[in-house]
Amino acid sequence: MRTKIVFMFLALLVVLVSGCMEQKKEIVIDKPGNISNYEFEIFQNESSNQTLANTTTYYLLQNDTKVQVVNMVVNTSKLEIYPPDILDGGSEKSPIQNFVQLVNPANETTANPQTFEELSSKNGTSAINCTLTQEVTQGMKVINLEFKEPVTGFVAYTLETSGDQSFAFVKPDSEFIRVVLPEGYVTGNRVFGIARPEPSSVTYDEKGRQTLLWISSKMGDREETIQVKYYTQSAPLLFSTAIIALLFGVGLVLLHYARSKKKLEAVRGILDLEKEYERKQRKRK
């Protein structure tokens, strides 16, 4: 009996340990991604004296099943990528698509706007070796992008999303985190959707797209997840119009009911008078 209990305990221990161990697999990129699919914007935050820093920008698309991510990396050798699908149970599909790197070795590069401008105008991806591995620890998926040496430049890729106009992701290891909404979409209305936590600033770019900015150093330790619920710019107006039309319809129904009630009461009054007249006539007889 004792041997059986010990065996069951060891088996349970093995299951628990194996569940906590990292499941690692390498992601193979068959061919370089298409550079023209991405926007390589050189972001400089005004509050930091135009200093370039690690920045992650999420471009949400009209096709809301995908999101394009562009990282500005400064003297960085590793990026941790958290696909949005880790928040809704995971996916068996390829976790990262259309991978593009426009980087130079950090020790040979000056991190200034001119350098990033030159990199963004390149026609081909950089020939710098990197490895992509996917790890799953306690049900959370993370993709590790590692370079053999620190690099400076752009790293871009495409991720799958849930596609329900609600984008949630784990805060990346960047000082600046930006979300660019599709053209014609906004957030901020508590009825239709807001961003949590509240962004540091909300602006509009040259294309009229609403852009949200978070500054990592100003966020609380508990704010590890960012969620943005967005909606079409016309949604509040259409909703208000529908409410007004509904109230107008209700008003018409109530008015019709009131008029019908008055007519019925008038008819009832006439019938009551006729009955009273007939009763008096019978008494006279």
Side-chain angles (χ1 to χ4, degrees):
M1 183 68 180
R2 173 183 284 182
T3 303
K4 186 176 181 180
I5 293 174
V6 172
F7 176 78
M8 292 177 62
F9 174 77
L10 291 175
L12 180 61
L13 184 62
V14 169
V15 171
L16 291 175
V17 171
S18 62
C20 296
M21 289 177 62
E22 295 180 344
Q23 304 171 17
K24 182 182 292 188
K25 68 176 182 180
E26 185 175 357
I27 299 173
V28 179
I29 303 297
D30 296 329
K31 59 181 180 179
N34 190 342
I35 296 175
S36 62
N37 286 351
Y38 295 106
E39 300 177 46
F40 298 103
E41 180 183 355
I42 304 170
F43 176 73
Q44 296 173 274
N45 189 51
E46 295 180 0
S47 63
S48 60
N49 299 320
Q50 300 291 305
T51 302
L52 293 174
N54 287 344
T55 302
T56 302
T57 303
Y58 298 90
Y59 293 91
L60 305 185
L61 308 177
Q62 291 282 1
N63 171 16
D64 54 9
T65 61
K66 294 182 183 296
V67 56
Q68 293 179 339
V69 188
V70 178
N71 291 273
M72 279 181 56
V73 295
V74 178
N75 194 22
T76 300
S77 60
K78 181 177 180 179
L79 281 179
E80 290 184 339
I81 303 168
Y82 294 93
D85 64 7
I86 67 171
L87 301 175
D88 58 14
S91 171
E92 295 301 323
K93 298 180 181 179
S94 176
I96 188 168
Q97 304 165 16
N98 200 20
F99 179 75
V100 169
Q101 59 175 6
L102 300 172
V103 295
N104 286 332
N107 59 3
E108 302 174 7
T109 306
T110 302
N112 57 28
Q114 182 180 356
T115 297
F116 281 90
E117 188 71 37
E118 291 172 356
L119 287 169
S120 66
S121 61
K122 290 180 63 175
N123 294 323
T125 59
S126 304
I128 294 182
N129 292 331
C130 67
T131 58
L132 278 165
T133 55
Q134 177 180 299
E135 298 177 359
V136 179
T137 305
Q138 296 181 348
M140 177 170 285
K141 183 189 300 180
V142 58
I143 299 171
N144 293 315
L145 169 61
E146 298 182 73
F147 294 94
K148 291 185 177 180
E149 59 180 323
V151 297
T152 292
F154 291 104
V155 176
Y157 45 86
T158 300
L159 300 174
E160 298 258 344
T161 65
S162 58
D164 56 1
Q165 292 184 16
S166 179
F167 179 58
F169 59 96
V170 176
K171 181 175 69 176
D173 187 20
S174 295
E175 175 60 13
F176 302 118
I177 305 157
R178 305 168 68 235
V179 173
V180 180
L181 299 182
E183 291 183 50
Y185 287 80
V186 293
T187 187
N189 187 306
R190 292 194 173 276
V191 175
F192 296 94
I194 61 174
R196 296 180 181 275
E198 184 178 352
S200 298
S201 68
V202 179
T203 58
Y204 288 85
D205 66 7
E206 295 178 353
K207 296 182 178 180
R209 297 175 300 184
Q210 192 176 60
T211 302
L212 315 177
L213 170 69
W214 288 266
I215 301 176
S216 185
S217 58
K218 295 183 179 180
M219 297 176 67
D221 294 336
R222 295 184 178 181
E223 296 173 326
E224 290 297 327
T225 302
I226 296 175
Q227 183 177 30
V228 180
K229 292 186 177 181
Y230 55 102
Y231 48 89
T232 57
Q233 209 161 10
S234 59
L237 178 61
L238 293 175
F239 181 75
S240 299
T241 302
I243 292 296
I244 292 173
L246 179 61
L247 292 175
F248 181 73
V250 171
L252 289 178
V253 171
L254 291 175
L255 180 61
H256 177 73
Y257 173 76
R259 288 180 176 178
S260 299
K261 185 177 180 181
K262 286 184 179 180
K263 289 181 180 179
L264 289 173
E265 288 177 347
V267 172
R268 183 177 179 181
I270 294 172
L271 292 175
D272 289 342
L273 288 174
E274 290 179 351
K275 289 180 180 180
E276 182 66 20
Y277 176 77
E278 291 176 358
R279 186 176 64 80
K280 289 181 178 180
Q281 288 294 103
R282 285 196 296 271
K283 283 185 177 181
R284 289 178 182 179
K285 293 178 180 180

